[in-house]
Amino acid sequence: MTLKKKLVALEMISLFVLSSILIALSLWIAVDELAIRMEETLRVAVSGFNGDTSYLRDSGESIDLTVFEGDTRIDSSIENVIGTKASPEVIDAVLNRNETYFDTDVSVHGIAYYGYYIPTETGMLFAGKPKSDIQNFIRTILVILLGTGAVAYFLCAFVSILISSSITRRIKNTADRIDILANGDLSCEIPDVNTTSRDESVVIAHAVSVLHRQLKEIVTNISTQTEHLNASNSEFTSKFTNIAESVGNISHTLEEIAQSSSTQAEETSSASSQVADMADVIEHNSNNIANLERAVSQMTELSRQTSATLTDLILINEKTMANVITVSSQTDATNVSAGKIRDAVQLIQNIAGQTGLLALNASIEAARAGDTGKGFAVVAEEIRKLSETSAASASEIELTVKELMDNSGISVKTVEEVRTDAKQEKEKLNLTRDAFQKLKLMVDSVYDVSKNIYEQTQRLEEQKNIMNGVVKQLSSISEENAASTQETSTRIQTLSAIVEDCRHETSLLTELSKNLQNQTGKFKL
């Protein structure tokens, strides 16, 4: 099947499908709109009811009216329906729910109607149009749509055939030109094409024209360059021979350089190893000096803390001396008080002895007095007992005071010893503080020296790192030079092989240029 027939068939099928869809949509819209219009017409019919159910039939309208009493027809323009009842759906919607009711398929005495019901005070009112009349109208619309669609279909088909013929004619002309190009004929005339057109067939024709022009230019250039290539091949062959000899000399020289670079790399690696050993020693010394600096710092801190502690101990010793002096004074005062108590006790003992003698004398006199002196005898007895108790208490107090004075003497002796020891302790603490102050000065001096050594070591470490980096860089450069020299030697050898291959390829290129000249000779310019 030709392209023209395919395009025509495709357009005819597309037009048929489109026409069918448009007719179906139009018919569906018409039927739906007809139902809406019919509902409005029947609503107007029942709204304008004047008591005569046949007034619309008499005026030429095919609309029937029916009056219901409850659910029973009592008057109607439809024959033989008086006394019949409405359907349950109508009764439920109109009578029970007091709503209007419309349906496109209401059966009245076996005849299908487009029916509309409204409720009234005594029942319902119905207006209906036979469905057969509406179906006839729909058939008329369908015939009109089909006729219009058929006319439009054939008109569009005719226009499509004309357009397809034009497109296929242009495509055929373009195909003929491509066939000429495929046969190698580039001598034909290149027609002008409208480059501003948006027609795809015109765009294709323009592209073929551009292809024809560019292909002719390319073949012409290839033919010209082939002649130049043939002339250059002989010159390249002689030059490649000279290059091969020069590459051989360079390869020999590079081998000698590679040996020297390898020796230099080994010596640099040895120096790098020695610098690394020296760096380890410097690093070890640096760590030791750092540890020494930390130890000196700790000793300085401990010296400062010890000096502060000694100062605190001296202050505590001075407070202790003051307290000892106070205790000694209080002990002396206690001894004086104890002596006074002892004198008072002796006085109490004397008084108790005299009181006992007086009580004894009173008892004797009371015995002589008989019954008259019994009361005085009881008093004398009580005084005697009191005198004995006082004497016993005075003895206990005397013993306690004696023990207190003995202990006080021991305390005084102990206080004197503590005063002597505290004085010696103060002198030793002062000597120790002076020694720690001297030690602190020495530690500070050692700290300054160690700090200076550490700073010098740090500078030495920096110089070591710089020197180590330089040696490593020299070693790396030597290794890279050796590797680069070896690699260059390898590449020179490869280049020598490539030059030889190029010489071989030059001969092949000569043959290819001859073949290319033969191929371009097939085109007719």
Side-chain angles (χ1 to χ4, degrees):
M1 183 182 292
T2 62
L3 178 61
K4 179 179 179 180
K5 293 181 178 180
K6 291 180 179 179
L7 288 174
V8 171
L10 180 61
E11 290 170 355
M12 297 293 286
I13 294 172
S14 301
L15 289 172
F16 178 77
V17 173
L18 180 61
S19 301
S20 300
I21 293 173
L22 290 175
I23 291 172
L25 288 174
S26 300
L27 184 61
W28 178 76
I29 293 171
V31 171
D32 188 61
E33 185 66 22
L34 183 61
I36 294 173
R37 298 301 178 203
M38 199 68 237
E39 182 180 1
E40 292 176 354
T41 300
L42 296 177
R43 184 186 301 115
V44 172
V46 296
S47 298
F49 177 64
N50 57 7
D52 184 8
T53 58
S54 301
Y55 84 97
L56 292 174
R57 284 287 185 178
D58 294 339
S59 62
E61 298 289 338
S62 60
I63 297 176
D64 293 311
L65 296 175
T66 301
V67 179
F68 286 81
E69 182 69 30
D71 59 354
T72 305
R73 296 179 177 87
I74 60 174
D75 188 13
S76 177
S77 61
I78 304 172
E79 296 179 356
N80 301 322
V81 297
I82 303 300
T84 58
K85 294 181 178 297
S87 64
E89 295 83 2
V90 175
I91 294 172
D92 179 65
V94 180
L95 296 180
N96 295 339
R97 290 181 289 168
N98 197 28
E99 297 176 353
T100 61
Y101 181 82
F102 175 76
D103 194 2
T104 59
D105 191 12
V106 177
S107 179
V108 179
H109 197 60
I111 301 174
Y113 281 86
Y114 275 59
Y116 188 84
Y117 294 84
I118 62 171
T120 60
E121 294 180 357
T122 59
M124 298 181 294
L125 185 61
F126 166 78
K129 186 175 182 66
K131 193 173 183 179
S132 59
D133 295 343
I134 297 172
Q135 288 176 346
N136 292 330
F137 180 72
I138 292 172
R139 290 191 189 96
T140 303
I141 294 174
L142 179 60
V143 171
I144 293 172
L145 289 174
L146 290 175
T148 304
V151 173
Y153 174 76
F154 287 111
L155 288 175
C156 292
F158 178 74
V159 174
S160 298
I161 291 172
L162 293 178
I163 295 173
S164 300
S165 299
S166 176
I167 292 172
T168 53
R169 183 174 60 257
R170 293 174 183 174
I171 293 175
K172 186 177 183 304
N173 293 332
T174 304
D176 293 338
R177 293 180 57 196
I178 293 173
D179 187 56
I180 293 172
L181 293 178
N183 292 327
D185 187 3
L186 303 178
S187 61
C188 61
E189 184 181 356
I190 303 174
D192 294 330
V193 180
N194 184 10
T195 57
T196 60
S197 177
R198 295 184 178 181
D199 188 352
E200 286 78 3
S201 60
V202 177
V203 172
I204 294 172
H206 174 68
V208 171
S209 298
V210 173
L211 176 63
H212 185 180
R213 187 180 298 106
Q214 291 179 352
L215 185 60
K216 186 174 181 179
E217 292 176 356
I218 291 171
V219 172
T220 303
N221 291 331
I222 291 174
S223 179
T224 303
Q225 295 300 325
T226 301
E227 295 177 358
H228 293 297
L229 182 61
N230 289 329
S232 301
N233 278 334
S234 58
E235 185 178 356
F236 283 158
T237 302
S238 61
K239 289 183 178 181
F240 276 130
T241 302
N242 296 329
I243 291 173
E245 294 176 357
S246 300
V247 167
N249 295 329
I250 293 172
S251 178
H252 179 70
T253 304
L254 285 175
E255 287 179 358
E256 294 177 354
I257 295 174
Q259 292 177 358
S260 300
S261 298
S262 299
T263 304
Q264 182 183 4
E266 292 176 358
E267 293 176 355
T268 306
S269 298
S270 177
S272 177
S273 177
Q274 293 176 1
V275 170
D277 294 337
M278 183 179 67
D280 294 336
V281 173
I282 293 173
E283 184 177 2
H284 183 68
N285 291 334
S286 178
N287 293 332
N288 291 334
I289 292 173
N291 293 331
L292 176 61
E293 185 180 4
R294 287 194 293 271
V296 171
S297 299
Q298 293 176 358
M299 289 177 63
T300 303
E301 180 64 21
L302 291 174
S303 176
R304 186 188 63 78
Q305 294 178 358
T306 304
S307 179
T309 303
L310 287 173
T311 302
D312 294 338
L313 288 175
I314 291 172
L315 294 175
I316 293 170
N317 180 264
E318 292 176 354
K319 291 181 181 179
T320 303
M321 286 292 293
N323 292 330
V324 167
I325 294 171
T326 301
V327 171
S328 178
S329 300
Q330 291 179 354
T331 303
D332 293 338
T334 301
N335 288 334
V336 173
S337 299
K340 292 179 180 181
I341 293 171
R342 184 178 61 185
D343 295 339
V345 168
Q346 289 177 357
L347 179 61
I348 291 171
Q349 287 178 347
N350 292 330
I351 293 172
Q354 291 177 4
T355 301
L357 292 174
L358 290 175
L360 180 61
N361 291 330
S363 297
I364 294 171
E365 292 299 329
R368 291 177 180 177
D371 293 335
T372 306
K374 286 182 179 181
F376 186 73
V378 172
V379 174
E381 181 65 22
E382 293 296 328
I383 289 173
R384 186 184 64 79
K385 291 180 180 180
L386 179 60
S387 175
E388 291 177 354
T389 303
S390 297
S393 298
S395 298
E396 292 178 359
I397 291 172
E398 184 178 11
L399 292 173
T400 302
V401 170
K402 184 180 180 181
E403 184 178 358
L404 177 62
M405 291 183 71
D406 293 339
N407 291 333
S408 178
I410 295 170
S411 298
V412 171
K413 185 178 180 180
T414 303
V415 167
E416 288 297 328
E417 293 178 354
V418 170
R419 289 178 63 184
T420 302
D421 294 338
K423 185 176 181 181
Q424 293 177 356
E425 182 181 357
K426 181 178 179 181
E427 293 176 355
K428 292 180 179 179
L429 286 173
N430 289 326
L431 293 175
T432 304
R433 183 180 62 182
D434 294 338
F436 268 101
Q437 287 179 352
K438 293 179 180 179
L439 178 61
K440 183 176 182 300
L441 293 175
M442 295 176 67
V443 169
D444 291 339
S445 178
V446 172
Y447 176 75
D448 293 336
V449 173
S450 64
K451 185 176 181 181
N452 189 13
I453 294 173
Y454 180 74
E455 291 176 354
Q456 296 298 327
T457 304
Q458 289 294 323
R459 293 179 182 176
L460 184 60
E461 178 75 15
E462 293 176 358
Q463 295 299 324
K464 179 265 296 182
N465 292 331
I466 294 172
M467 184 177 178
N468 191 20
V470 171
V471 172
K472 287 183 178 179
Q473 186 175 6
L474 287 174
S475 178
S476 177
I477 292 172
S478 296
E479 292 176 356
E480 290 179 357
N481 287 336
S484 299
T485 304
Q486 292 177 356
E487 183 179 0
T488 304
S489 178
T490 303
R491 290 182 177 179
I492 288 296
Q493 293 176 0
T494 305
L495 179 60
S496 178
I498 292 173
V499 169
E500 187 63 27
D501 292 338
C502 288
R503 292 174 62 187
H504 177 67
E505 292 296 331
T506 303
S507 61
L508 295 178
L509 185 60
T510 302
E511 296 179 359
L512 290 175
S513 64
K514 292 180 179 179
N515 293 331
L516 183 61
Q517 190 174 12
N518 295 330
Q519 294 295 328
T520 54
K522 296 179 180 179
F523 289 96
K524 184 179 180 182
L525 301 175

